[in-house]
Amino acid sequence: MDKSKEILSKLKEYRDLDLKYEKGNIFGSMCTKPHPITLEIIKMFYETNLGDPGLFIGTKKLEEESIQMIGKLLHNPNAFGYIISGGTEANITAMRLFNNISKANFKNKKYGNKKNREDSSKIIIPETAHFSFDKSKDMMNLDLIRPPLTEYYTSNVKWVKDYVEDTISKNGENSISGIVGIAGCTELGTIDNIKELSKIAYTNDIPLHVDAAFGGFVIPFLEEKYKLKNYNYEFDFSLDGVKTITIDPHKMGLSPISAGGIIFRNREYKKYLDIEAPYLTETLQATILGTRTGVGAATTWGLLKLLCKDGYAKITHECMEKTTYLTNKLRENGFETVIEPVLNIIAIKDDNAKETCKKLKEKGLYVSVCRCTNALRIVIMPHLEFEHLDNLVNTLCKINKK
Ligand SMILES: Cc1ncc(COP(=O)(O)O)c(C=O)c1O
């Protein structure tokens, strides 16, 4: 066997150790089997580097056009942004932006001479936020303020309003550097009241970031019949206070990993992130990563063009139908959910969630657990079929002797 064949066959052995989406036993992932067209796209773009965009002009155009298309979806024709490695990088970028804006406002005395900033930046962030914000805190010395949750597992906006007004009246403008809301939280899929958060942010001149890493490719396509009365589904740039949005093509967008999106309200925000990169074709770089693949931009562009609104609406519909099916089947068998599912995520109450998770794994089924409450967490991604859901319920019944 020649050396390449030998290496490829060895690699295949390793790859065979991985789980495969199509087997229907991955129940806790927000990623899924990418759309088949992306295999061709990966081949075409595998050597591209958006860290040096002047060398890859076509790929850069694809990134810009992808951002424009996503911007349109989010009601913003002036959107600016990047297709980056994922939701973590997108959230860290937003926090870097807010931290830098706050520091610049202080330096330029935007609000006068009053000392209106501590050394750290105060960011109001939901209890249900993804752990990528904790990484931002580590990197940037942020002071994360966590409002209490409502009974619907959303950030308590009344508390946020009182906190903002109280802090500003004591410490002056710029004493709060940003607010975060989540549209589709990782563990439960809940949507914060972004409309109210936006009002608070706009009135007090505080930037609002929306983490729609998961929900961004679901909520715009959700049929009215799935919308629950205790949630407000508005989350995008049509709300004046929203300045940045994380939206990930590699989750419900069906792109292969790595494809995350950070979208800014407009290009004006770039200057707060720019770092000089004298030896590159574009000498100011705003992204956290330097060298970065263009594959995510190309696959995102391809899928947005191929699937369009109707394609994504169909995927969303199918996932929501399966979510309803699984919820009903669980209830018929005596299980309870933590909340009525808001998106295609189900949290099943379980005081011994970790133990159940372990037992399911022994049976070859992979679910995850929640941190915010005792529950198993199931994400109904497109790779899951009805028979896989039946198998999960039957196995859960056996484990729980129901
Ligand atoms: C709401 C939300 N934000 C951010 C992230 C982080 O995304 P990634 O894993 O692509 O970095 C996740 C991941 O699950 C998420 O659910």
Side-chain angles (χ1 to χ4, degrees):
M1 216 194 306
D2 76 27
K3 188 121 191 219
S4 325
K5 273 199 183 142
E6 203 179 300
I7 288 169
L8 288 173
S9 123
K10 198 74 199 157
L11 283 168
K12 170 98 176 34
E13 278 177 34
Y14 282 90
R15 177 69 180 121
D16 287 345
L17 298 176
D18 296 345
L19 298 187
K20 306 287 178 318
Y21 291 111
E22 55 271 31
K23 280 204 80 181
N25 55 357
I26 302 180
F27 291 94
S29 170
M30 288 187 147
C31 293
T32 190
K33 180 120 185 143
H35 192 286
I37 193 181
T38 58
L39 263 180
E40 280 303 308
I41 304 177
I42 291 170
K43 263 200 238 162
M44 210 184 291
F45 286 85
Y46 79 96
E47 63 186 37
T48 57
N49 174 15
L50 280 173
D52 209 353
L55 303 181
F56 299 94
I57 299 163
T59 311
K60 182 63 196 165
K61 265 184 191 267
L62 289 176
E63 182 177 55
E64 286 166 357
E65 289 180 23
S66 299
I67 297 297
Q68 261 175 17
M69 287 189 271
I70 296 174
K72 258 196 188 160
L73 181 71
L74 302 175
H75 298 106
N76 180 3
N78 303 316
F80 174 79
Y82 302 96
I83 302 297
I84 49 180
S85 63
T88 297
E89 191 188 343
N91 286 339
I92 294 173
T93 302
M95 293 304 98
R96 184 173 160 240
L97 173 68
F98 290 4
N99 190 38
N100 286 355
I101 290 176
S102 174
K103 284 195 286 189
N105 287 346
F106 180 57
K107 199 169 152 210
N108 305 332
K109 298 191 167 35
K110 180 174 176 192
Y111 300 103
N113 283 320
K114 220 156 110 192
K115 175 158 171 42
N116 49 22
R117 219 193 101 83
E118 305 293 327
D119 288 339
S120 58
S121 287
K122 262 193 190 20
I123 308 277
I124 301 176
I125 189 163
E127 198 61 62
T128 51
H130 185 260
F131 55 80
S132 43
F133 292 98
D134 296 314
K135 294 182 182 173
S136 315
K137 175 183 154 84
D138 255 16
M139 292 170 179
M140 286 173 264
N141 187 24
L142 306 179
D143 182 10
L144 301 183
I145 310 295
R146 311 267 187 175
L149 289 175
T150 66
E151 62 184 299
Y152 304 108
Y153 288 87
T154 54
S155 219
N156 184 326
V157 288
K158 163 90 175 63
W159 189 96
V160 173
K161 187 167 184 287
D162 291 347
Y163 180 83
V164 165
E165 289 174 358
D166 190 45
T167 307
I168 290 182
S169 82
K170 277 194 201 130
N171 304 327
E173 284 114 329
N174 205 31
S175 52
I176 296 174
S177 307
I179 302 178
V180 175
I182 308 174
C185 87
T186 312
E187 296 188 357
L188 302 170
T190 52
I191 305 168
D192 286 318
N193 190 336
I194 309 292
K195 190 173 181 178
E196 286 305 314
L197 290 177
S198 165
K199 276 190 208 157
I200 300 165
Y202 193 75
T203 317
N204 293 286
D205 200 13
I206 301 169
L208 171 63
H209 172 65
V210 177
D211 181 0
F214 185 76
F217 273 96
V218 182
I219 301 166
F221 310 110
L222 205 57
E223 290 156 81
E224 285 303 315
K225 66 175 176 182
Y226 297 119
K227 295 190 179 170
L228 307 174
K229 69 173 186 339
N230 294 316
Y231 296 90
N232 187 322
Y233 290 77
E234 291 166 87
F235 76 101
D236 67 18
F237 291 109
S238 51
L239 305 168
D240 291 333
V242 176
K243 304 302 184 215
T244 51
I245 298 181
T246 291
I247 171 168
D248 286 354
H250 74 197
K251 295 190 169 70
M252 284 292 284
L254 258 54
S255 259
I257 299 163
S258 298
I262 180 71
I263 321 288
F264 308 100
R265 180 169 278 277
N266 58 52
R267 210 191 156 85
E268 277 294 291
Y269 291 97
K270 182 177 184 306
K271 65 172 184 279
Y272 293 102
L273 295 172
D274 276 339
I275 296 285
E276 278 187 39
Y279 62 87
L280 298 178
T281 47
E282 214 175 73
T283 53
L284 291 172
Q285 191 172 83
T287 49
I288 293 173
L289 296 191
T291 301
R292 60 190 183 96
T293 178
V295 166
T299 52
T300 300
W301 189 95
L303 289 171
L304 286 167
K305 292 280 184 196
L306 181 74
L307 295 170
C308 307
K309 273 199 165 176
D310 287 352
Y312 282 115
K314 183 167 179 285
I315 294 162
T316 302
H317 171 81
E318 287 168 1
C319 290
M320 289 308 292
E321 285 294 287
K322 288 174 195 159
T323 302
T324 309
Y325 175 83
L326 179 58
T327 308
N328 290 341
K329 196 147 181 144
L330 284 164
R331 286 177 183 159
E332 279 160 24
N333 284 281
F335 295 94
E336 276 182 74
T337 58
V338 175
I339 51 165
E340 198 60 37
V342 185
L343 301 178
N344 44 327
I345 299 176
I346 303 175
I348 310 167
K349 281 188 190 171
D350 187 338
D351 287 338
N352 300 311
K354 279 194 181 148
E355 191 55 29
T356 310
C357 189
K358 211 170 121 201
K359 285 184 183 159
L360 283 169
K361 188 173 159 196
E362 282 160 15
K363 309 257 180 218
L365 303 183
Y366 291 75
V367 305
S368 54
V369 293
C370 292
R371 185 178 60 169
C372 66
T373 180
N374 285 333
L376 299 170
R377 166 182 171 269
I378 315 289
V379 190
I380 310 293
M381 294 302 285
H383 61 265
L384 291 173
E385 302 295 345
F386 288 100
E387 73 205 63
H388 304 138
L389 306 180
D390 289 342
N391 185 28
L392 175 68
V393 179
N394 293 340
T395 315
L396 268 173
C397 285
K398 274 186 207 144
I399 287 173
N400 285 282
K401 301 197 175 40
K402 291 205 187 201

